[in-house]
């Protein structure tokens, strides 16, 4: 089957959905393709695993229930500057395409699933991890970035008798954050009883995790590797390898146009935009790009995309957290509670012009 698209969007995460919804508002018709049949607010998945009753099914929603353009569930396996091929043999021909295929955690599918393509199997995937967590006495999280810090805090809060270790290969947590944020995160985790091992070098060998510094095994019943993301770029390698940088991210100019490929744009985690890889920034890029494409269609130019400084609101357990703003770091309860309330699930869906599903129970 051959389908023709004015604008094809590959990937329905924060970047793809934001740009698609905004393009539809500007009167530009889109086809959004994603492997999964649902969007997921990633910010909520860690608590979903440690305390399933807190947000229940609300983080996930079928595209068909809110996306206002055309949605096709499919796996893009190959792409050129004019067409994309899905695993089921469908060919999609386009005038322009937006690459928004994001990233994955190679060994932590609970953070972003690489196997659960429908909501039911995703719910089950998270519930299975919850059951394994409940049975574990000693849990280790490897990686002291945002996801590692948040995960260690969530486990320690929800399962206070479980021993939680956070192993990081540097001597501070949250590498690119301000020193005050790094110290606050450390103190808050220690308040929850998390043991932090700095400068560790754990590697999986012969069925267990060994610290290469001293040859000691971790002794943990359950280990999570929150050690960074890989770009979802396999479909680009056959015909578009030249658009990837050395790390495998898509090279874009300051209007989010792919370098040397005028029919392609890229944004969000997959793109080398020069900003932190965060969902709220992917959405911001989506709003910008939709406006730029709509103006371009009318023969009008657009200013360059303005990169934002790193801001983040990181929950550390369900009662604490820290906020990094452009000029300050704070643990002010009022701000922290903004996210603790529902992990921004409502805010994200409101931004997409919809609301979360009703709770199941
Ligand atoms: C646990 C966790 C907590 C986080 N917390 C925060 C937070 O508090 N605040 C924040 O701003 N950010 C947070 N982030 C980061 C945020 O989730 C990412 O920056 C964001 O998901 C990037 O969005 P994206 O649309 O670029 O990519 P993704 O979310 O990775 O979406 C890419 C989409 O493309 C699809 N896809 C990939 N390849 C193909 C293909 N070949 N064919 C079809 N479809 C494909 C995937 O199925 C996926 O739906 C968190 C991330 C995690 C994992």
């Amino acid at each position: 089957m051959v389908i023709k698209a004015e604008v094809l969007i590959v990937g329905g995460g924060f970047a793809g959905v934001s740009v698609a919804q905004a393009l539809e508002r500007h009167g530009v018709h889109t086809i959004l393709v994603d492997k999964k049949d649902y969007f997921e607010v990633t910010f909520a998945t860690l608590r979903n695993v440690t305390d399933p009753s807190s947000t229940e099914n609300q983080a996930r929603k079928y595209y068909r229930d809110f996306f206002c353009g055309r949605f096709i569930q499919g796996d893009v396996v190959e792409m050129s500057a004019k067409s994309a091929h899905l695993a089921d043999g469908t060919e999609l021909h386009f005038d322009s395409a937006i690459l928004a295929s994001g990233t994955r955690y190679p060994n932590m599918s609970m953070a972003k699933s690489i196997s659960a393509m429908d909501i039911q199997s995703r719910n089950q995937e998270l519930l299975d991890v919850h059951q394994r967590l409940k049975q574990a006495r000693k849990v280790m999280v490897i990686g002291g970035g945002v996801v590692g810090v948040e995960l260690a805090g969530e486990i320690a809060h929800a399962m206070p008798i479980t021993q939680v270790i956070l192993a990081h290969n540097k001597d501070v947590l949250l590498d690119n954050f301000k020193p005050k944020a790094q110290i606050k995160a450390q103190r808050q985790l220690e308040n929850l009883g998390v043991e932090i091992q700095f400068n560790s070098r754990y590697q999986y060998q012969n069925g267990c995790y060994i610290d290469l510094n001293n040859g000691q095994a971790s002794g943990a019943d359950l280990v999570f590797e929150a050690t960074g993301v890989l770009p979802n770029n396999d479909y680009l390698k056959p015909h578009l390898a030249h658009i990837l940088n050395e790390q495998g991210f898509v090279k874009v100019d300051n209007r989010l146009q792919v370098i040397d490929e005028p029919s392609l744009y890229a944004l969000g985690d997959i793109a080398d935009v020069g900003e932190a890889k965060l969902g709220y920034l992917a959405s911001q890029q989506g709003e910008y790009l939709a406006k730029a494409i709509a103006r371009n269609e009318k023969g009008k130019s657009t200013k360059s995309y303005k990169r934002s400084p790193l801001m983040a609101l990181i929950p550390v357990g369900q009662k604490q957290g820290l906020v990094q703003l452009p000029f300050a770091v704070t643990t002010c309860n009022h701000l922290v509670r903004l996210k603790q309330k529902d992990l921004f699930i409502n805010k994200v869906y409101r931004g997409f012009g919809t609301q979360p599903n009703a709770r199941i129970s």
Side-chain angles (χ1 to χ4, degrees):
M1 186 173 36
V2 177
I3 298 173
K4 181 101 185 67
E6 189 180 341
V7 180
L8 174 72
I9 298 162
V10 181
F14 290 87
V17 171
S18 300
V19 71
Q21 297 284 74
L23 276 170
E24 292 285 335
R25 279 202 309 275
H26 288 289
V28 179
H29 297 304
T30 59
I31 294 182
L32 174 70
V33 180
D34 200 289
K35 295 179 190 188
K36 305 182 275 87
D37 66 0
Y38 61 93
F39 174 86
E40 178 172 57
V41 181
T42 47
F43 317 162
T45 52
L46 303 179
R47 190 163 301 170
N48 219 178
V49 160
T50 54
D51 182 6
S53 63
S54 63
T55 57
E56 292 183 359
N57 57 329
Q58 294 207 298
R60 287 165 287 286
K61 194 165 172 121
Y62 290 115
Y63 293 111
R64 64 166 187 257
D65 287 347
F66 73 95
F67 180 57
C68 54
R70 180 166 175 196
F71 171 71
I72 296 176
Q73 186 177 3
D75 183 1
V76 178
V77 287
E78 213 173 289
M79 186 153 177
S80 71
K82 285 281 156 221
S83 65
H85 293 245
L86 306 188
D88 68 2
T90 305
E91 259 182 59
L92 292 150
H93 292 196
F94 52 79
D95 298 328
S96 42
I98 299 173
L99 313 177
S101 50
T103 49
R104 65 187 185 279
Y105 285 80
N107 296 312
M108 198 167 66
S109 189
M110 82 171 184
K112 284 186 186 180
S113 190
I114 48 177
S115 54
M117 298 300 135
D118 59 82
I119 288 193
Q120 284 74 21
S121 33
R122 179 60 170 156
N123 289 342
Q124 193 58 50
E125 181 176 40
L126 296 177
L127 206 58
D128 289 346
V129 183
H130 175 69
Q131 299 299 353
R132 281 164 51 214
L133 253 177
K134 274 206 314 197
Q135 282 156 16
R137 283 156 194 268
K138 184 172 174 181
V139 176
M140 185 165 75
V141 177
I142 305 177
V146 176
V147 171
V149 164
E150 214 175 308
L151 179 57
E154 291 292 338
I155 301 170
H157 177 100
M159 295 162 178
I161 48 175
T162 305
Q163 186 185 350
V164 184
I165 298 165
L166 177 60
H168 190 47
N169 63 357
K170 308 258 170 53
D171 53 10
V172 286
L173 299 174
L174 299 176
D175 300 346
N176 297 319
F177 282 66
K178 295 179 196 289
K180 193 172 169 190
Q182 297 171 334
I183 298 291
K184 294 276 180 206
Q186 181 179 339
R187 297 270 149 76
Q188 293 189 346
L189 285 171
E190 285 167 352
N191 281 343
L192 286 168
V194 174
E195 176 191 330
I196 304 174
Q197 295 182 3
F198 287 112
N199 299 311
S200 58
R201 292 193 300 138
Y202 280 95
Q203 206 174 74
Y204 190 67
Q205 285 180 358
N206 306 323
C208 62
Y209 284 84
I210 308 278
D211 186 349
L212 299 183
N213 288 322
N214 51 24
Q216 300 267 324
S218 75
D221 311 309
L222 197 53
V223 176
F224 295 101
E225 285 187 52
T227 46
V229 290
L230 291 178
N232 293 326
N233 61 10
D234 286 348
Y235 67 104
L236 298 170
K237 290 178 180 168
H239 307 296
L240 291 166
H242 59 281
I243 69 172
L244 303 175
N245 71 11
E246 276 179 10
Q247 291 73 41
F249 295 94
V250 178
K251 295 180 276 186
V252 290
D253 66 14
N254 54 18
R255 287 184 171 75
L256 307 185
Q257 185 140 37
V258 173
I259 306 279
D260 294 334
E261 290 295 351
S263 63
L264 304 179
Y265 301 87
L267 78 173
D269 276 17
I270 186 68
D272 182 9
V273 179
E275 270 187 326
K277 302 221 173 287
L278 288 168
Y280 82 92
L281 293 174
S283 295
Q284 188 174 296
Q285 292 161 20
E287 292 287 338
Y288 164 85
L289 183 56
K291 201 165 157 194
I293 291 174
R295 283 179 66 83
N296 196 25
E297 290 207 345
K298 292 179 187 148
K300 295 180 183 170
S301 64
T302 314
K303 285 186 192 155
S304 300
Y305 176 72
K306 199 162 166 275
R307 291 170 185 81
S308 301
L310 173 61
M311 289 198 288
L313 204 170
I314 307 174
V316 182
Q318 293 187 22
K319 296 258 185 293
Q320 315 170 98
L322 60 102
V323 189
Q324 173 161 308
L325 299 164
F327 304 106
V329 171
T330 173
T331 53
C332 163
N333 249 339
H334 173 67
L335 290 178
V336 170
R337 264 197 243 118
L338 288 178
K339 188 165 184 185
Q340 289 285 13
K341 209 165 45 163
D342 76 336
L343 299 161
F344 288 155
I345 294 175
N346 270 281
K347 187 169 186 282
V348 169
Y349 284 115
R350 262 203 321 274
F352 293 160
T354 184
Q355 54 190 25
N357 294 325
R359 284 174 175 255
I360 294 168
S361 51

PDB file of all heavy atoms in Angstrom, residues 254-268:
ATOM      1  N   ASN A 254      19.882  25.887  12.927  1.00  0.00           N
ATOM      2  CA  ASN A 254      19.166  26.583  14.002  1.00  0.00           C
ATOM      3  C   ASN A 254      17.688  26.843  13.684  1.00  0.00           C
ATOM      4  O   ASN A 254      17.015  27.539  14.420  1.00  0.00           O
ATOM      5  CB  ASN A 254      19.904  27.862  14.422  1.00  0.00           C
ATOM      6  CG  ASN A 254      20.174  28.746  13.235  1.00  0.00           C
ATOM      7  OD1 ASN A 254      19.540  28.580  12.190  1.00  0.00           O
ATOM      8  ND2 ASN A 254      21.107  29.682  13.367  1.00  0.00           N
ATOM      9  N   ARG A 255      17.180  26.233  12.602  1.00  0.00           N
ATOM     10  CA  ARG A 255      15.726  26.234  12.350  1.00  0.00           C
ATOM     11  C   ARG A 255      15.184  24.797  12.406  1.00  0.00           C
ATOM     12  O   ARG A 255      14.112  24.507  11.896  1.00  0.00           O
ATOM     13  CB  ARG A 255      15.412  26.894  11.000  1.00  0.00           C
ATOM     14  CG  ARG A 255      15.593  28.408  11.069  1.00  0.00           C
ATOM     15  CD  ARG A 255      15.211  29.105   9.784  1.00  0.00           C
ATOM     16  NE  ARG A 255      15.192  30.538   9.978  1.00  0.00           N
ATOM     17  CZ  ARG A 255      16.262  31.316  10.077  1.00  0.00           C
ATOM     18  NH1 ARG A 255      17.477  30.779   9.985  1.00  0.00           N
ATOM     19  NH2 ARG A 255      16.156  32.615  10.270  1.00  0.00           N
ATOM     20  N   LEU A 256      15.967  23.907  12.975  1.00  0.00           N
ATOM     21  CA  LEU A 256      15.611  22.486  13.147  1.00  0.00           C
ATOM     22  C   LEU A 256      15.457  21.745  11.820  1.00  0.00           C
ATOM     23  O   LEU A 256      14.785  20.712  11.729  1.00  0.00           O
ATOM     24  CB  LEU A 256      14.350  22.320  14.017  1.00  0.00           C
ATOM     25  CG  LEU A 256      14.374  23.014  15.386  1.00  0.00           C
ATOM     26  CD1 LEU A 256      13.117  22.668  16.192  1.00  0.00           C
ATOM     27  CD2 LEU A 256      15.605  22.636  16.188  1.00  0.00           C
ATOM     28  N   GLN A 257      16.080  22.295  10.779  1.00  0.00           N
ATOM     29  CA  GLN A 257      16.089  21.628   9.476  1.00  0.00           C
ATOM     30  C   GLN A 257      17.320  20.713   9.448  1.00  0.00           C
ATOM     31  O   GLN A 257      18.393  21.091   9.912  1.00  0.00           O
ATOM     32  CB  GLN A 257      16.208  22.683   8.387  1.00  0.00           C
ATOM     33  CG  GLN A 257      16.100  22.138   6.994  1.00  0.00           C
ATOM     34  CD  GLN A 257      15.290  23.068   6.095  1.00  0.00           C
ATOM     35  OE1 GLN A 257      15.390  24.280   6.228  1.00  0.00           O
ATOM     36  NE2 GLN A 257      14.521  22.493   5.188  1.00  0.00           N
ATOM     37  N   VAL A 258      17.121  19.517   8.901  1.00  0.00           N
ATOM     38  CA  VAL A 258      18.240  18.566   8.858  1.00  0.00           C
ATOM     39  C   VAL A 258      19.305  19.084   7.883  1.00  0.00           C
ATOM     40  O   VAL A 258      18.982  19.517   6.771  1.00  0.00           O
ATOM     41  CB  VAL A 258      17.724  17.167   8.435  1.00  0.00           C
ATOM     42  CG1 VAL A 258      18.889  16.199   8.224  1.00  0.00           C
ATOM     43  CG2 VAL A 258      16.754  16.622   9.486  1.00  0.00           C
ATOM     44  N   ILE A 259      20.551  19.035   8.317  1.00  0.00           N
ATOM     45  CA  ILE A 259      21.659  19.547   7.500  1.00  0.00           C
ATOM     46  C   ILE A 259      21.720  18.770   6.178  1.00  0.00           C
ATOM     47  O   ILE A 259      21.712  17.534   6.170  1.00  0.00           O
ATOM     48  CB  ILE A 259      23.018  19.389   8.245  1.00  0.00           C
ATOM     49  CG1 ILE A 259      22.971  20.037   9.633  1.00  0.00           C
ATOM     50  CG2 ILE A 259      24.198  19.868   7.410  1.00  0.00           C
ATOM     51  CD1 ILE A 259      23.154  21.504   9.718  1.00  0.00           C
ATOM     52  N   ASP A 260      21.761  19.483   5.066  1.00  0.00           N
ATOM     53  CA  ASP A 260      21.898  18.921   3.711  1.00  0.00           C
ATOM     54  C   ASP A 260      20.682  18.146   3.208  1.00  0.00           C
ATOM     55  O   ASP A 260      20.763  17.468   2.183  1.00  0.00           O
ATOM     56  CB  ASP A 260      23.134  17.991   3.594  1.00  0.00           C
ATOM     57  CG  ASP A 260      24.422  18.764   3.758  1.00  0.00           C
ATOM     58  OD1 ASP A 260      24.417  19.979   3.466  1.00  0.00           O
ATOM     59  OD2 ASP A 260      25.414  18.159   4.192  1.00  0.00           O
ATOM     60  N   GLU A 261      19.553  18.161   3.940  1.00  0.00           N
ATOM     61  CA  GLU A 261      18.347  17.462   3.476  1.00  0.00           C
ATOM     62  C   GLU A 261      17.150  18.398   3.641  1.00  0.00           C
ATOM     63  O   GLU A 261      16.440  18.355   4.663  1.00  0.00           O
ATOM     64  CB  GLU A 261      18.127  16.142   4.252  1.00  0.00           C
ATOM     65  CG  GLU A 261      19.119  15.040   3.946  1.00  0.00           C
ATOM     66  CD  GLU A 261      19.034  14.534   2.503  1.00  0.00           C
ATOM     67  OE1 GLU A 261      18.105  14.892   1.768  1.00  0.00           O
ATOM     68  OE2 GLU A 261      19.937  13.768   2.107  1.00  0.00           O
ATOM     69  N   PRO A 262      16.870  19.250   2.656  1.00  0.00           N
ATOM     70  CA  PRO A 262      15.845  20.285   2.824  1.00  0.00           C
ATOM     71  C   PRO A 262      14.424  19.769   3.054  1.00  0.00           C
ATOM     72  O   PRO A 262      13.581  20.510   3.561  1.00  0.00           O
ATOM     73  CB  PRO A 262      15.915  21.081   1.509  1.00  0.00           C
ATOM     74  CG  PRO A 262      16.873  20.393   0.627  1.00  0.00           C
ATOM     75  CD  PRO A 262      17.596  19.330   1.386  1.00  0.00           C
ATOM     76  N   SER A 263      14.143  18.494   2.752  1.00  0.00           N
ATOM     77  CA  SER A 263      12.767  18.015   2.996  1.00  0.00           C
ATOM     78  C   SER A 263      12.609  17.457   4.420  1.00  0.00           C
ATOM     79  O   SER A 263      11.515  17.013   4.786  1.00  0.00           O
ATOM     80  CB  SER A 263      12.401  16.923   1.979  1.00  0.00           C
ATOM     81  OG  SER A 263      13.244  15.808   2.145  1.00  0.00           O
ATOM     82  N   LEU A 264      13.675  17.443   5.187  1.00  0.00           N
ATOM     83  CA  LEU A 264      13.596  16.815   6.521  1.00  0.00           C
ATOM     84  C   LEU A 264      13.854  17.805   7.658  1.00  0.00           C
ATOM     85  O   LEU A 264      14.705  18.704   7.541  1.00  0.00           O
ATOM     86  CB  LEU A 264      14.629  15.680   6.634  1.00  0.00           C
ATOM     87  CG  LEU A 264      14.582  14.561   5.586  1.00  0.00           C
ATOM     88  CD1 LEU A 264      15.691  13.547   5.854  1.00  0.00           C
ATOM     89  CD2 LEU A 264      13.215  13.862   5.596  1.00  0.00           C
ATOM     90  N   TYR A 265      13.142  17.605   8.755  1.00  0.00           N
ATOM     91  CA  TYR A 265      13.357  18.349   9.997  1.00  0.00           C
ATOM     92  C   TYR A 265      13.555  17.313  11.109  1.00  0.00           C
ATOM     93  O   TYR A 265      13.129  16.171  10.970  1.00  0.00           O
ATOM     94  CB  TYR A 265      12.135  19.196  10.352  1.00  0.00           C
ATOM     95  CG  TYR A 265      11.761  20.212   9.302  1.00  0.00           C
ATOM     96  CD1 TYR A 265      10.911  19.863   8.250  1.00  0.00           C
ATOM     97  CD2 TYR A 265      12.247  21.513   9.364  1.00  0.00           C
ATOM     98  CE1 TYR A 265      10.557  20.793   7.284  1.00  0.00           C
ATOM     99  CE2 TYR A 265      11.896  22.454   8.404  1.00  0.00           C
ATOM    100  CZ  TYR A 265      11.053  22.079   7.360  1.00  0.00           C
ATOM    101  OH  TYR A 265      10.704  22.999   6.411  1.00  0.00           O
ATOM    102  N   ALA A 266      14.177  17.742  12.207  1.00  0.00           N
ATOM    103  CA  ALA A 266      14.296  16.819  13.349  1.00  0.00           C
ATOM    104  C   ALA A 266      14.229  17.616  14.641  1.00  0.00           C
ATOM    105  O   ALA A 266      14.647  18.777  14.694  1.00  0.00           O
ATOM    106  CB  ALA A 266      15.596  16.036  13.276  1.00  0.00           C
ATOM    107  N   LEU A 267      13.716  16.983  15.680  1.00  0.00           N
ATOM    108  CA  LEU A 267      13.585  17.653  16.976  1.00  0.00           C
ATOM    109  C   LEU A 267      13.471  16.625  18.094  1.00  0.00           C
ATOM    110  O   LEU A 267      13.389  15.424  17.837  1.00  0.00           O
ATOM    111  CB  LEU A 267      12.365  18.586  16.977  1.00  0.00           C
ATOM    112  CG  LEU A 267      10.964  17.981  17.137  1.00  0.00           C
ATOM    113  CD1 LEU A 267       9.945  19.099  17.289  1.00  0.00           C
ATOM    114  CD2 LEU A 267      10.606  17.128  15.970  1.00  0.00           C
ATOM    115  N   GLY A 268      13.497  17.130  19.319  1.00  0.00           N
ATOM    116  CA  GLY A 268      13.381  16.239  20.483  1.00  0.00           C
ATOM    117  C   GLY A 268      14.682  15.480  20.714  1.00  0.00           C
ATOM    118  O   GLY A 268      15.751  15.868  20.238  1.00  0.00           O
TER     119      GLY A 268
END
